[in-house]
Amino acid sequence: MAHTRDELRAALTPLRAGGATIALVPTMGALHSGHLTLFDMAGSLADSVVASIFVNPLQFSAGEDLDRYPADLDADVRLAGSRGVSTVFAPEVAVMYPEGYSGVHVQPGPLGDRLCGPFRPGHFEGVLTVVAKLFGLVRPDVAVFGRKDLQQAILIRNMVRDLELGVRVEVAPLVREPDGLAMSSRNKYLSPGERRDAAGIHAALEAADHLFRQGVSDAGALLDRVREVLGQHPRLQLEYAELVDPESLDALASAGAESTIAVAVHCGSTRLIDNLVLGAASPDPRMVPVDG
Ligand code: PAF
């Protein structure tokens, strides 16, 4: 495991000298099965996989969960190693933002003001800044991100293109719990009652998908169905629901192929996001439950 720039360099230099290609999977730790599929995809795209584990203060606003974000570095390192990750880079905040850091940040542009943007001021600026720094430190050939954070993945793709960063960006499918809840490190915050209700988020998206498959394409009707099903769960409070083009994130008046419903929902004090491609040929993969 590497904690410092020197340790990271020492781990990467022999790989590069041997001509290995490198895939980076940036994470904030508290790894779950969704992350493991990112490692698997990364392993299929490059000779060597580097995972970063860093809870980036820059992407949290005041009052968010920075101070209680779940962390278990030993377990994360074991899990990452079991899925073929050759190097874990787990820097301290002072390594990523050392004294003398002058505060140059990456601005997400107008797409950063859509969907989650207005509700998490500064969030995407923080994400893009840390991802650009990780790209600079690791210099990966390819980087893999999860589809659950669709807006984040698109903004990172845009950043790479606009700033000519020369990293291939791949997006891995969203992975769900057996009851449909999108896998997230933040699911750990949910009480048993909240956890039961949280499955209603996917149920709401599926209900809209069902309508779409019956021929309904009007955004208003599809989003009303999402609200109606969420409304059956008292602990779920909708922040936003939008029908969007999955590449541009433009709001759509009418759904077609690949159109996606993106939502953010508060379940008690936990904020969860999810998205579903309407009419998808195959359902999102679900985690296989482990016995015992
Ligand atoms: O998706 C995440 O876990 C984070 O936003 C990321 C990409 C690791 C940047 O801190």
Side-chain angles (χ1 to χ4, degrees), residues 26-28 56 59 127 130-131 145 149 152:
T27 80
M28 298 206 300
N56 172 35
Q59 69 188 73
V127 169
V130 82
V131 170
F145 297 87
D149 298 289
Q152 165 175 288

Side-chain angles (χ1 to χ4, degrees), residues 17-284:
T21 53
I22 294 175
L24 171 66
V25 182
T27 80
M28 298 206 300
L31 300 180
H32 50 67
S33 307
H35 291 112
L36 303 188
T37 65
L38 304 185
F39 299 150
D40 292 347
M41 180 183 260
S44 73
L45 295 170
D47 302 319
S48 209
V49 179
V50 176
S52 61
I53 296 180
F54 179 62
V55 181
N56 172 35
L58 211 59
Q59 69 188 73
F60 290 78
S61 327
E64 289 191 336
D65 54 344
L66 173 63
D67 295 336
R68 61 186 185 115
Y69 198 82
D72 187 346
L73 188 57
D74 290 342
D76 286 350
V77 169
R78 267 198 311 278
L79 268 177
S82 75
R83 284 310 250 257
V85 172
S86 68
T87 306
V88 171
F89 177 47
E92 295 291 333
V93 173
V95 170
M96 292 302 284
Y97 302 109
E99 219 168 292
Y101 176 72
S102 60
V104 172
H105 290 174
V106 181
Q107 291 297 329
L111 216 57
D113 297 331
R114 302 263 306 114
L115 302 176
C116 292
F119 301 98
R120 303 195 70 189
H123 170 66
F124 289 120
E125 176 180 327
V127 169
L128 294 187
T129 301
V130 82
V131 170
K133 285 169 72 69
L134 290 167
F135 285 179
L137 287 164
V138 176
R139 304 218 168 272
D141 299 277
V142 54
V144 180
F145 297 87
R147 158 103 194 181
K148 181 175 75 70
D149 298 289
L150 178 64
Q151 187 175 13
Q152 165 175 288
I154 291 173
L155 286 168
I156 291 168
R157 256 194 190 146
N158 289 352
M159 170 179 79
V160 166
R161 198 184 50 227
D162 288 3
L163 302 184
E164 320 285 354
L165 298 184
V167 177
R168 174 175 162 200
V169 173
E170 291 294 336
V171 181
L174 192 158
V175 181
R176 299 188 177 280
E177 300 272 3
D179 67 358
L181 177 64
M183 298 215 67
S184 164
S185 304
R186 289 188 167 100
N187 292 350
K188 290 197 169 82
Y189 296 149
L190 301 171
S191 69
E194 289 170 347
R195 175 62 192 81
R196 277 193 300 278
D197 272 11
I201 301 170
H202 179 246
L205 295 173
E206 275 207 313
D209 184 49
H210 186 69
L211 263 192
F212 176 72
R213 288 174 196 267
Q214 288 176 331
V216 176
S217 59
D218 176 63
L222 294 168
L223 297 176
D224 277 350
R225 186 76 185 113
V226 170
R227 286 187 205 100
E228 192 185 340
V229 176
L230 288 175
Q232 294 163 5
H233 303 272
R235 293 185 183 89
L236 301 181
Q237 292 299 325
L238 180 65
E239 187 177 271
Y240 70 75
E242 285 204 42
L243 178 72
V244 298
D245 175 281
E247 293 298 325
S248 65
L249 296 186
D250 287 342
L252 301 172
S254 167
E258 301 285 303
S259 296
T260 296
I261 296 186
V263 294
V265 175
H266 290 268
C267 183
S269 59
T270 304
R271 182 180 184 276
L272 300 169
I273 58 173
D274 200 347
N275 67 82
L276 191 79
V277 181
L278 296 179
S282 49
D284 294 327

